[in-house]
Amino acid sequence: MERLQKVIAASGVASRRKAEELILAKKVMVNGEVVSELGVKVSEKDEVVVNGVKINREEKVYYLLNKPRGVITSTNDEKGRSTVVSLINDEKRIYPVGRLDYDTTGALILTNDGEFANMMMHPSNNIDKVYVAKIKGILLPSEIMALKNGVLLDGVKTSKAKVKVKKVDKESNTSIVEITIHEGKNHQVKRMFEAVDKEVLKLKRERIAFLDLRGLNSGEYRKLSHKEVSKLYVLAK
Ligand code: URA
């Protein structure tokens, strides 16, 4: 059990002092009844409404998932396909931060913290996303330069990228290429390769900032630590 004003403050809708004022002004309801005195304590199960709006009392959680192929990056799917959210054993209303295509594998963060999600997805942030693509064909030096300097997607140039050719297989006419980008436009990596006439056969996101997939097999996930979450805040700001 916790004091009502503390619970309201923790949800972020008001400071503790302001929460006390709201309680005294009869603006706070617990389980449908107006509370007008200070000192009331509530449990996790109690519904708290401030100024007519239910407050979010969920503890904030952050997961790193190694997304398998054939899973949709969404909270639900009309076609009944399994979603990244359904892979995580947590009743909270978590959702993916950004998206990976149905056939793309690798690192994906999920959370119920909207502020964190917005910050991570903001186009101006500095979060490296490292992808490894298996592509059809072999990149020419001019094509590598184009990918590095930016290619046009819908008339807008992509920002600078790092590109490393890891392996070339002349026999099968395929290459393995590591590409690091900051942005997260729809199908960005596939479309960047398309812009230089290369088809992506397989795509994996190996890293988001300092978060790699060490210790996580396909479909496995882990919670991020407080330290990791704060580090992401620092990088993104
Ligand atoms: N770029 C893509 O094309 N697909 C993804 O899933 C992620 C980045």
Side-chain angles (χ1 to χ4, degrees), residues 67 73 99-105 131 181 183-192 200 203-205:
K67 178 194 173 294
T73 303
R99 64 185 359 261
L100 290 179
D101 296 333
Y102 190 64
D103 59 353
T104 301
T105 61
Y131 292 88
I181 59 174
E183 303 152 300
K185 296 186 176 135
N186 242 346
H187 313 302
Q188 179 156 344
V189 173
K190 290 176 187 168
R191 286 161 66 212
M192 286 175 77
V200 172
L203 186 61
K204 180 174 191 181
R205 181 153 69 192

PDB file of all heavy atoms in Angstrom, residues 67 73 99-105 131 181 183-192 200 203-205, ligand 1:
ATOM      1  N   LYS A  67      14.302 -11.167 -32.238  1.00  0.00           N
ATOM      2  CA  LYS A  67      13.093 -11.480 -33.017  1.00  0.00           C
ATOM      3  C   LYS A  67      13.359 -12.586 -34.039  1.00  0.00           C
ATOM      4  O   LYS A  67      14.301 -12.493 -34.820  1.00  0.00           O
ATOM      5  CB  LYS A  67      12.611 -10.222 -33.742  1.00  0.00           C
ATOM      6  CG  LYS A  67      11.384 -10.451 -34.631  1.00  0.00           C
ATOM      7  CD  LYS A  67      11.166  -9.278 -35.569  1.00  0.00           C
ATOM      8  CE  LYS A  67      10.077  -9.537 -36.579  1.00  0.00           C
ATOM      9  NZ  LYS A  67      10.400 -10.609 -37.535  1.00  0.00           N
ATOM     10  N   THR A  73       5.905  -7.363 -36.225  1.00  0.00           N
ATOM     11  CA  THR A  73       6.237  -6.351 -35.227  1.00  0.00           C
ATOM     12  C   THR A  73       5.022  -5.463 -35.019  1.00  0.00           C
ATOM     13  O   THR A  73       4.854  -4.444 -35.676  1.00  0.00           O
ATOM     14  CB  THR A  73       7.430  -5.489 -35.676  1.00  0.00           C
ATOM     15  OG1 THR A  73       8.526  -6.351 -35.934  1.00  0.00           O
ATOM     16  CG2 THR A  73       7.847  -4.505 -34.595  1.00  0.00           C
ATOM     17  N   ARG A  99      10.237  -0.865 -35.799  1.00  0.00           N
ATOM     18  CA  ARG A  99       9.764  -2.142 -36.332  1.00  0.00           C
ATOM     19  C   ARG A  99      10.835  -2.888 -37.126  1.00  0.00           C
ATOM     20  O   ARG A  99      11.762  -2.293 -37.662  1.00  0.00           O
ATOM     21  CB  ARG A  99       8.525  -1.917 -37.206  1.00  0.00           C
ATOM     22  CG  ARG A  99       8.784  -1.101 -38.432  1.00  0.00           C
ATOM     23  CD  ARG A  99       7.552  -0.766 -39.272  1.00  0.00           C
ATOM     24  NE  ARG A  99       6.280  -1.273 -38.846  1.00  0.00           N
ATOM     25  CZ  ARG A  99       5.690  -2.358 -39.345  1.00  0.00           C
ATOM     26  NH1 ARG A  99       6.302  -3.073 -40.268  1.00  0.00           N
ATOM     27  NH2 ARG A  99       4.505  -2.711 -38.949  1.00  0.00           N
ATOM     28  N   LEU A 100      10.663  -4.202 -37.092  1.00  0.00           N
ATOM     29  CA  LEU A 100      11.450  -5.054 -37.983  1.00  0.00           C
ATOM     30  C   LEU A 100      10.437  -5.773 -38.877  1.00  0.00           C
ATOM     31  O   LEU A 100       9.366  -6.159 -38.405  1.00  0.00           O
ATOM     32  CB  LEU A 100      12.263  -6.087 -37.193  1.00  0.00           C
ATOM     33  CG  LEU A 100      13.432  -5.568 -36.352  1.00  0.00           C
ATOM     34  CD1 LEU A 100      14.112  -6.720 -35.604  1.00  0.00           C
ATOM     35  CD2 LEU A 100      14.467  -4.845 -37.210  1.00  0.00           C
ATOM     36  N   ASP A 101      10.793  -5.962 -40.136  1.00  0.00           N
ATOM     37  CA  ASP A 101       9.884  -6.635 -41.070  1.00  0.00           C
ATOM     38  C   ASP A 101       9.597  -8.072 -40.616  1.00  0.00           C
ATOM     39  O   ASP A 101      10.370  -8.663 -39.864  1.00  0.00           O
ATOM     40  CB  ASP A 101      10.487  -6.674 -42.476  1.00  0.00           C
ATOM     41  CG  ASP A 101      10.658  -5.286 -43.051  1.00  0.00           C
ATOM     42  OD1 ASP A 101       9.907  -4.370 -42.656  1.00  0.00           O
ATOM     43  OD2 ASP A 101      11.555  -5.109 -43.903  1.00  0.00           O
ATOM     44  N   TYR A 102       8.523  -8.615 -41.177  1.00  0.00           N
ATOM     45  CA  TYR A 102       8.101  -9.994 -40.900  1.00  0.00           C
ATOM     46  C   TYR A 102       9.265 -10.981 -41.073  1.00  0.00           C
ATOM     47  O   TYR A 102       9.461 -11.894 -40.269  1.00  0.00           O
ATOM     48  CB  TYR A 102       6.974 -10.326 -41.885  1.00  0.00           C
ATOM     49  CG  TYR A 102       6.236 -11.606 -41.641  1.00  0.00           C
ATOM     50  CD1 TYR A 102       5.488 -11.789 -40.482  1.00  0.00           C
ATOM     51  CD2 TYR A 102       6.247 -12.623 -42.598  1.00  0.00           C
ATOM     52  CE1 TYR A 102       4.786 -12.957 -40.270  1.00  0.00           C
ATOM     53  CE2 TYR A 102       5.544 -13.801 -42.395  1.00  0.00           C
ATOM     54  CZ  TYR A 102       4.819 -13.967 -41.221  1.00  0.00           C
ATOM     55  OH  TYR A 102       4.124 -15.120 -41.019  1.00  0.00           O
ATOM     56  N   ASP A 103      10.053 -10.781 -42.120  1.00  0.00           N
ATOM     57  CA  ASP A 103      11.139 -11.720 -42.410  1.00  0.00           C
ATOM     58  C   ASP A 103      12.496 -11.258 -41.874  1.00  0.00           C
ATOM     59  O   ASP A 103      13.517 -11.894 -42.126  1.00  0.00           O
ATOM     60  CB  ASP A 103      11.228 -11.979 -43.929  1.00  0.00           C
ATOM     61  CG  ASP A 103      11.462 -10.705 -44.712  1.00  0.00           C
ATOM     62  OD1 ASP A 103      11.427  -9.599 -44.117  1.00  0.00           O
ATOM     63  OD2 ASP A 103      11.686 -10.789 -45.929  1.00  0.00           O
ATOM     64  N   THR A 104      12.531 -10.150 -41.144  1.00  0.00           N
ATOM     65  CA  THR A 104      13.790  -9.672 -40.562  1.00  0.00           C
ATOM     66  C   THR A 104      13.920 -10.225 -39.141  1.00  0.00           C
ATOM     67  O   THR A 104      12.927 -10.332 -38.420  1.00  0.00           O
ATOM     68  CB  THR A 104      13.833  -8.130 -40.533  1.00  0.00           C
ATOM     69  OG1 THR A 104      13.709  -7.644 -41.861  1.00  0.00           O
ATOM     70  CG2 THR A 104      15.112  -7.608 -39.922  1.00  0.00           C
ATOM     71  N   THR A 105      15.148 -10.568 -38.761  1.00  0.00           N
ATOM     72  CA  THR A 105      15.394 -11.110 -37.423  1.00  0.00           C
ATOM     73  C   THR A 105      16.239 -10.120 -36.619  1.00  0.00           C
ATOM     74  O   THR A 105      16.742  -9.140 -37.163  1.00  0.00           O
ATOM     75  CB  THR A 105      16.157 -12.449 -37.517  1.00  0.00           C
ATOM     76  OG1 THR A 105      17.418 -12.194 -38.148  1.00  0.00           O
ATOM     77  CG2 THR A 105      15.394 -13.487 -38.328  1.00  0.00           C
ATOM     78  N   TYR A 131      22.926  -3.519 -38.930  1.00  0.00           N
ATOM     79  CA  TYR A 131      22.259  -4.607 -39.634  1.00  0.00           C
ATOM     80  C   TYR A 131      23.285  -5.421 -40.405  1.00  0.00           C
ATOM     81  O   TYR A 131      24.284  -4.864 -40.895  1.00  0.00           O
ATOM     82  CB  TYR A 131      21.262  -4.057 -40.654  1.00  0.00           C
ATOM     83  CG  TYR A 131      20.074  -3.360 -40.048  1.00  0.00           C
ATOM     84  CD1 TYR A 131      20.122  -2.007 -39.740  1.00  0.00           C
ATOM     85  CD2 TYR A 131      18.893  -4.052 -39.796  1.00  0.00           C
ATOM     86  CE1 TYR A 131      19.022  -1.364 -39.184  1.00  0.00           C
ATOM     87  CE2 TYR A 131      17.792  -3.411 -39.238  1.00  0.00           C
ATOM     88  CZ  TYR A 131      17.871  -2.070 -38.946  1.00  0.00           C
ATOM     89  OH  TYR A 131      16.783  -1.440 -38.399  1.00  0.00           O
ATOM     90  N   ILE A 181      23.006   2.363 -39.522  1.00  0.00           N
ATOM     91  CA  ILE A 181      22.229   3.583 -39.777  1.00  0.00           C
ATOM     92  C   ILE A 181      21.651   4.116 -38.457  1.00  0.00           C
ATOM     93  O   ILE A 181      21.619   3.400 -37.452  1.00  0.00           O
ATOM     94  CB  ILE A 181      21.076   3.334 -40.789  1.00  0.00           C
ATOM     95  CG1 ILE A 181      20.096   2.263 -40.297  1.00  0.00           C
ATOM     96  CG2 ILE A 181      21.635   2.936 -42.152  1.00  0.00           C
ATOM     97  CD1 ILE A 181      18.872   2.073 -41.180  1.00  0.00           C
ATOM     98  N   GLU A 183      18.650   6.214 -38.767  1.00  0.00           N
ATOM     99  CA  GLU A 183      17.218   6.435 -39.026  1.00  0.00           C
ATOM    100  C   GLU A 183      16.463   5.113 -38.976  1.00  0.00           C
ATOM    101  O   GLU A 183      17.055   4.048 -38.898  1.00  0.00           O
ATOM    102  CB  GLU A 183      17.021   7.053 -40.415  1.00  0.00           C
ATOM    103  CG  GLU A 183      17.770   8.350 -40.600  1.00  0.00           C
ATOM    104  CD  GLU A 183      18.124   8.551 -42.051  1.00  0.00           C
ATOM    105  OE1 GLU A 183      18.836   7.722 -42.626  1.00  0.00           O
ATOM    106  OE2 GLU A 183      17.654   9.535 -42.618  1.00  0.00           O
ATOM    107  N   GLY A 184      15.153   5.203 -39.077  1.00  0.00           N
ATOM    108  CA  GLY A 184      14.355   3.976 -39.064  1.00  0.00           C
ATOM    109  C   GLY A 184      13.164   4.110 -39.987  1.00  0.00           C
ATOM    110  O   GLY A 184      12.030   3.878 -39.578  1.00  0.00           O
ATOM    111  N   LYS A 185      13.447   4.507 -41.244  1.00  0.00           N
ATOM    112  CA  LYS A 185      12.330   4.602 -42.193  1.00  0.00           C
ATOM    113  C   LYS A 185      11.838   3.199 -42.534  1.00  0.00           C
ATOM    114  O   LYS A 185      12.597   2.227 -42.406  1.00  0.00           O
ATOM    115  CB  LYS A 185      12.793   5.303 -43.472  1.00  0.00           C
ATOM    116  CG  LYS A 185      13.205   6.740 -43.213  1.00  0.00           C
ATOM    117  CD  LYS A 185      13.526   7.459 -44.502  1.00  0.00           C
ATOM    118  CE  LYS A 185      13.838   8.903 -44.210  1.00  0.00           C
ATOM    119  NZ  LYS A 185      15.016   9.391 -44.922  1.00  0.00           N
ATOM    120  N   ASN A 186      10.611   3.137 -43.011  1.00  0.00           N
ATOM    121  CA  ASN A 186      10.033   1.846 -43.365  1.00  0.00           C
ATOM    122  C   ASN A 186      10.901   1.086 -44.361  1.00  0.00           C
ATOM    123  O   ASN A 186      11.253   1.635 -45.402  1.00  0.00           O
ATOM    124  CB  ASN A 186       8.661   2.087 -44.002  1.00  0.00           C
ATOM    125  CG  ASN A 186       7.582   1.446 -43.175  1.00  0.00           C
ATOM    126  OD1 ASN A 186       7.868   0.612 -42.297  1.00  0.00           O
ATOM    127  ND2 ASN A 186       6.351   1.817 -43.443  1.00  0.00           N
ATOM    128  N   HIS A 187      11.226  -0.144 -44.051  1.00  0.00           N
ATOM    129  CA  HIS A 187      12.028  -0.999 -44.935  1.00  0.00           C
ATOM    130  C   HIS A 187      13.325  -0.304 -45.379  1.00  0.00           C
ATOM    131  O   HIS A 187      13.773  -0.463 -46.502  1.00  0.00           O
ATOM    132  CB  HIS A 187      11.242  -1.405 -46.185  1.00  0.00           C
ATOM    133  CG  HIS A 187       9.863  -1.892 -45.893  1.00  0.00           C
ATOM    134  ND1 HIS A 187       9.613  -2.961 -45.068  1.00  0.00           N
ATOM    135  CD2 HIS A 187       8.661  -1.431 -46.314  1.00  0.00           C
ATOM    136  CE1 HIS A 187       8.302  -3.154 -45.003  1.00  0.00           C
ATOM    137  NE2 HIS A 187       7.706  -2.236 -45.727  1.00  0.00           N
ATOM    138  N   GLN A 188      13.880   0.494 -44.498  1.00  0.00           N
ATOM    139  CA  GLN A 188      14.979   1.356 -44.927  1.00  0.00           C
ATOM    140  C   GLN A 188      16.163   0.607 -45.535  1.00  0.00           C
ATOM    141  O   GLN A 188      16.665   0.985 -46.585  1.00  0.00           O
ATOM    142  CB  GLN A 188      15.477   2.218 -43.772  1.00  0.00           C
ATOM    143  CG  GLN A 188      16.648   3.112 -44.189  1.00  0.00           C
ATOM    144  CD  GLN A 188      16.800   4.337 -43.344  1.00  0.00           C
ATOM    145  OE1 GLN A 188      15.880   4.704 -42.621  1.00  0.00           O
ATOM    146  NE2 GLN A 188      17.948   4.970 -43.430  1.00  0.00           N
ATOM    147  N   VAL A 189      16.598  -0.462 -44.869  1.00  0.00           N
ATOM    148  CA  VAL A 189      17.805  -1.137 -45.354  1.00  0.00           C
ATOM    149  C   VAL A 189      17.529  -1.790 -46.711  1.00  0.00           C
ATOM    150  O   VAL A 189      18.320  -1.657 -47.661  1.00  0.00           O
ATOM    151  CB  VAL A 189      18.314  -2.163 -44.316  1.00  0.00           C
ATOM    152  CG1 VAL A 189      19.449  -2.983 -44.876  1.00  0.00           C
ATOM    153  CG2 VAL A 189      18.740  -1.448 -43.034  1.00  0.00           C
ATOM    154  N   LYS A 190      16.401  -2.454 -46.815  1.00  0.00           N
ATOM    155  CA  LYS A 190      16.065  -3.100 -48.088  1.00  0.00           C
ATOM    156  C   LYS A 190      15.963  -2.069 -49.211  1.00  0.00           C
ATOM    157  O   LYS A 190      16.437  -2.294 -50.324  1.00  0.00           O
ATOM    158  CB  LYS A 190      14.743  -3.864 -47.962  1.00  0.00           C
ATOM    159  CG  LYS A 190      14.838  -5.099 -47.087  1.00  0.00           C
ATOM    160  CD  LYS A 190      13.488  -5.755 -46.923  1.00  0.00           C
ATOM    161  CE  LYS A 190      13.552  -6.888 -45.900  1.00  0.00           C
ATOM    162  NZ  LYS A 190      12.227  -7.354 -45.506  1.00  0.00           N
ATOM    163  N   ARG A 191      15.362  -0.936 -48.883  1.00  0.00           N
ATOM    164  CA  ARG A 191      15.201   0.092 -49.920  1.00  0.00           C
ATOM    165  C   ARG A 191      16.525   0.766 -50.263  1.00  0.00           C
ATOM    166  O   ARG A 191      16.746   1.179 -51.395  1.00  0.00           O
ATOM    167  CB  ARG A 191      14.156   1.115 -49.483  1.00  0.00           C
ATOM    168  CG  ARG A 191      12.736   0.545 -49.572  1.00  0.00           C
ATOM    169  CD  ARG A 191      11.758   1.322 -48.734  1.00  0.00           C
ATOM    170  NE  ARG A 191      11.567   2.668 -49.238  1.00  0.00           N
ATOM    171  CZ  ARG A 191      11.305   3.730 -48.466  1.00  0.00           C
ATOM    172  NH1 ARG A 191      11.224   3.600 -47.169  1.00  0.00           N
ATOM    173  NH2 ARG A 191      11.137   4.903 -49.005  1.00  0.00           N
ATOM    174  N   MET A 192      17.407   0.865 -49.286  1.00  0.00           N
ATOM    175  CA  MET A 192      18.731   1.441 -49.596  1.00  0.00           C
ATOM    176  C   MET A 192      19.481   0.537 -50.574  1.00  0.00           C
ATOM    177  O   MET A 192      20.090   1.009 -51.532  1.00  0.00           O
ATOM    178  CB  MET A 192      19.547   1.641 -48.312  1.00  0.00           C
ATOM    179  CG  MET A 192      19.070   2.818 -47.476  1.00  0.00           C
ATOM    180  SD  MET A 192      19.951   2.945 -45.900  1.00  0.00           S
ATOM    181  CE  MET A 192      21.520   3.658 -46.462  1.00  0.00           C
ATOM    182  N   VAL A 200      17.921  -7.641 -51.077  1.00  0.00           N
ATOM    183  CA  VAL A 200      18.277  -8.211 -49.769  1.00  0.00           C
ATOM    184  C   VAL A 200      17.610  -9.577 -49.648  1.00  0.00           C
ATOM    185  O   VAL A 200      16.398  -9.711 -49.757  1.00  0.00           O
ATOM    186  CB  VAL A 200      17.832  -7.275 -48.622  1.00  0.00           C
ATOM    187  CG1 VAL A 200      18.011  -7.955 -47.266  1.00  0.00           C
ATOM    188  CG2 VAL A 200      18.622  -5.972 -48.658  1.00  0.00           C
ATOM    189  N   LEU A 203      17.951 -10.454 -43.704  1.00  0.00           N
ATOM    190  CA  LEU A 203      18.334  -9.264 -42.942  1.00  0.00           C
ATOM    191  C   LEU A 203      18.222  -9.526 -41.447  1.00  0.00           C
ATOM    192  O   LEU A 203      17.223 -10.070 -40.974  1.00  0.00           O
ATOM    193  CB  LEU A 203      17.425  -8.094 -43.341  1.00  0.00           C
ATOM    194  CG  LEU A 203      17.784  -6.725 -42.749  1.00  0.00           C
ATOM    195  CD1 LEU A 203      19.180  -6.280 -43.189  1.00  0.00           C
ATOM    196  CD2 LEU A 203      16.752  -5.674 -43.187  1.00  0.00           C
ATOM    197  N   LYS A 204      19.263  -9.109 -40.739  1.00  0.00           N
ATOM    198  CA  LYS A 204      19.268  -9.270 -39.282  1.00  0.00           C
ATOM    199  C   LYS A 204      19.763  -7.978 -38.634  1.00  0.00           C
ATOM    200  O   LYS A 204      20.755  -7.398 -39.094  1.00  0.00           O
ATOM    201  CB  LYS A 204      20.210 -10.417 -38.906  1.00  0.00           C
ATOM    202  CG  LYS A 204      20.296 -10.661 -37.412  1.00  0.00           C
ATOM    203  CD  LYS A 204      21.118 -11.901 -37.110  1.00  0.00           C
ATOM    204  CE  LYS A 204      20.978 -12.277 -35.644  1.00  0.00           C
ATOM    205  NZ  LYS A 204      21.769 -13.457 -35.316  1.00  0.00           N
ATOM    206  N   ARG A 205      19.077  -7.531 -37.594  1.00  0.00           N
ATOM    207  CA  ARG A 205      19.618  -6.391 -36.844  1.00  0.00           C
ATOM    208  C   ARG A 205      20.451  -6.959 -35.717  1.00  0.00           C
ATOM    209  O   ARG A 205      19.933  -7.626 -34.826  1.00  0.00           O
ATOM    210  CB  ARG A 205      18.495  -5.511 -36.301  1.00  0.00           C
ATOM    211  CG  ARG A 205      19.052  -4.301 -35.549  1.00  0.00           C
ATOM    212  CD  ARG A 205      18.129  -3.125 -35.556  1.00  0.00           C
ATOM    213  NE  ARG A 205      16.944  -3.364 -34.758  1.00  0.00           N
ATOM    214  CZ  ARG A 205      15.865  -2.582 -34.775  1.00  0.00           C
ATOM    215  NH1 ARG A 205      15.827  -1.534 -35.586  1.00  0.00           N
ATOM    216  NH2 ARG A 205      14.828  -2.860 -34.015  1.00  0.00           N
TER     217      ARG A 205
HETATM  218  N1  URA B   1      15.222  -2.162 -42.788  1.00  0.00           N
HETATM  219  C1  URA B   1      14.458  -3.041 -43.483  1.00  0.00           C
HETATM  220  O1  URA B   1      14.394  -2.983 -44.682  1.00  0.00           O
HETATM  221  N2  URA B   1      13.773  -3.955 -42.803  1.00  0.00           N
HETATM  222  C2  URA B   1      13.809  -4.049 -41.463  1.00  0.00           C
HETATM  223  O2  URA B   1      13.152  -4.916 -40.904  1.00  0.00           O
HETATM  224  C3  URA B   1      14.611  -3.158 -40.761  1.00  0.00           C
HETATM  225  C4  URA B   1      15.304  -2.219 -41.449  1.00  0.00           C
END
